[in-house]
Amino acid sequence: MDDLVVQLKALAEPTRLRIASLLARGELTVSELVQVLGQSQPRVSRHLKLLTDAHLVERLPEGAYVFYRLVAGGPGHRLAGVIGELAPPDDPVLKRDLDRLDAVKAARAAAAEAYFKRAAEDWDRIRALHLSEDEVEAAMRDAAGSGPFDLMIDVGVGTGRILEVFADRVGEGIGVDVNHAMLNVARLNLERAGLTEASVRKADVSALPFDDHVADLVTVHQVLHYLDDPAIAIAECARVLKPGGVLLIADFAPHQLEFLKTEHAHRRLGFSDEEITDWVESAGLELRRRASLHPEKPETHLTVKIWAARRVSPRISRSPVRIKASSV
């Protein structure tokens, strides 16, 4: 009862009601809220602190940026969400807020699309080297199983596509990446897809910001070949899996396309079944399924491999793993 009183008091102020209404429509930074509300940054930050202390709003650091959103679950989420829905749309102050919010989101979308356009040429060239994404995604869904999965973590979220692929089987999806510009691309795509239960945050695969044994599904799609030490990434993904949870990896089989190293920053030219099996078993998982998607021209194109492993016990690792810095 005391917590509810604190939350009601936190919302019983016009600016904080406006903030709750805005955050009910998606994540925003302090600077974006300043633009919408027309108030100083210190004042907006003070209101956000009160809402955060009342467990109505949560703070998500992202490098030099900090995003705020309504808490992901519990009474605070329901209360703040209801307040956002009850806000009268014909109120002139709220209407002005929403008009400004549209302008802020349009500017964010323009920046995200500009970044995506710069990167898309490289991605298109790599995609042309293997089977269609539709075939890869269908194989990933098949390997993961039907779920349902309460919590999915997508490591190296990229455009957010894998969160979309599994949205019908997932209660909550969280994508992580180290690239702020890429996270904004994913935010834009998830918002356009109407996936309100999916979100993204900045994080390194070597230090995921989650407790042990919380995720039902962890996906790692075309990420391992960028890493200095893929074993570390797999061990960290295994750490956050629940007993019975699934780790799903999609990457390339061993190949000889050296230009991917020199021109596209690939650290590894694919992975064998043996090394993936060794890494997942060292992380306390059991490899359950693997699939190979072969191209029509194996001499010049890439075979995509899919591996699905399951945590069969709460154990983290059967042997120590050397830890060093790596990034998504």
Side-chain angles (χ1 to χ4, degrees):
M1 183 67 73
D2 290 343
D3 288 345
L4 179 59
V5 171
V6 169
Q7 290 172 339
L8 289 171
K9 285 181 177 179
L11 287 167
E13 194 280 334
T15 297
R16 293 196 286 277
L17 281 174
R18 291 165 67 190
I19 291 173
S21 177
L22 291 166
L23 294 181
R25 292 164 170 81
E27 301 174 354
L28 293 167
T29 65
V30 175
S31 61
E32 288 171 339
L33 284 165
V34 166
Q35 292 178 58
V36 173
L37 297 169
Q39 298 182 9
S40 69
Q41 182 167 330
R43 185 175 179 184
V44 171
S45 295
R46 182 174 62 83
H47 286 305
L48 286 167
K49 185 178 187 308
L50 289 169
L51 291 169
T52 302
D53 290 345
H55 305 295
L56 292 164
V57 166
E58 57 186 337
R59 185 177 183 273
L60 301 172
E62 192 169 294
Y65 301 85
V66 177
F67 281 84
Y68 287 85
R69 69 175 183 183
L70 299 185
V71 291
H77 174 77
R78 295 195 298 274
L79 178 60
V82 167
I83 292 296
E85 292 172 6
L86 291 177
D90 56 348
D91 180 271
V93 174
L94 291 178
K95 186 177 184 304
R96 184 186 62 200
D97 285 351
L98 294 181
D99 289 342
R100 289 177 176 174
L101 178 62
D102 288 342
V104 164
K105 288 190 173 184
R108 187 199 291 177
E113 288 174 342
Y115 173 83
F116 182 81
K117 186 176 181 179
R118 291 195 300 271
E121 185 175 340
D122 280 351
W123 296 337
D124 288 342
R125 186 179 179 190
I126 295 173
R127 278 196 292 263
L129 296 173
H130 59 78
L131 296 177
S132 74
E133 293 296 334
D134 288 345
E135 292 176 85
V136 175
E137 291 166 1
M140 289 180 68
R141 284 172 59 88
D142 183 58
S146 59
F149 305 103
D150 290 338
L151 174 62
M152 169 188 173
I153 298 171
D154 184 36
V155 174
V157 68
T159 65
R161 175 59 188 167
I162 300 302
L163 289 174
E164 293 186 51
V165 167
F166 284 94
D168 62 330
R169 302 182 185 181
V170 170
E172 179 185 6
I174 302 175
V176 301
D177 208 299
V178 294
N179 187 315
H180 171 72
M182 200 72 252
L183 289 170
N184 276 338
V185 172
R187 279 192 184 93
L188 175 63
N189 289 337
L190 294 173
E191 183 176 311
R192 286 175 172 172
L195 299 182
T196 57
E197 300 304 318
S199 61
V200 298
R201 65 183 66 175
K202 187 171 186 178
D204 190 293
V205 68
S206 65
L208 295 174
F210 305 102
D211 293 335
D212 296 352
H213 314 314
V214 295
D216 303 279
L217 174 65
V218 177
T219 53
V220 189
H221 175 251
Q222 301 295 1
V223 170
L224 292 185
H225 58 251
Y226 289 109
L227 306 183
D228 289 329
D229 198 336
I232 299 304
I234 289 176
E236 184 67 354
C237 291
R239 177 186 66 79
V240 303
L241 272 180
K242 293 178 181 177
V246 175
L247 171 62
L248 185 64
I249 300 168
D251 219 298
F252 300 127
H255 62 85
Q256 301 300 318
L257 302 184
E258 289 284 345
F259 78 90
L260 292 177
K261 274 191 172 183
T262 58
E263 299 178 28
H264 298 278
H266 288 206
R267 300 295 182 90
R268 297 289 300 268
L269 296 181
F271 302 94
S272 67
D273 287 333
E274 291 74 20
E275 60 188 338
I276 293 291
T277 300
D278 183 60
W279 290 335
V280 300
E281 289 182 352
S282 293
L285 308 181
E286 181 180 279
L287 191 66
R288 293 293 185 90
R289 296 187 64 175
R290 62 190 182 196
S292 299
L293 305 179
H294 298 286
E296 292 183 2
K297 301 177 180 179
E299 68 281 0
T300 57
H301 287 63
L302 299 168
T303 293
V304 175
K305 299 282 293 187
I306 294 171
W307 298 273
R310 189 177 296 274
R311 173 169 290 291
V312 293
S313 74
R315 162 169 76 95
I316 294 296
S317 175
R318 73 180 185 194
S319 61
V321 179
R322 178 172 53 87
I323 301 294
K324 72 176 184 178
S326 72
S327 62
V328 175

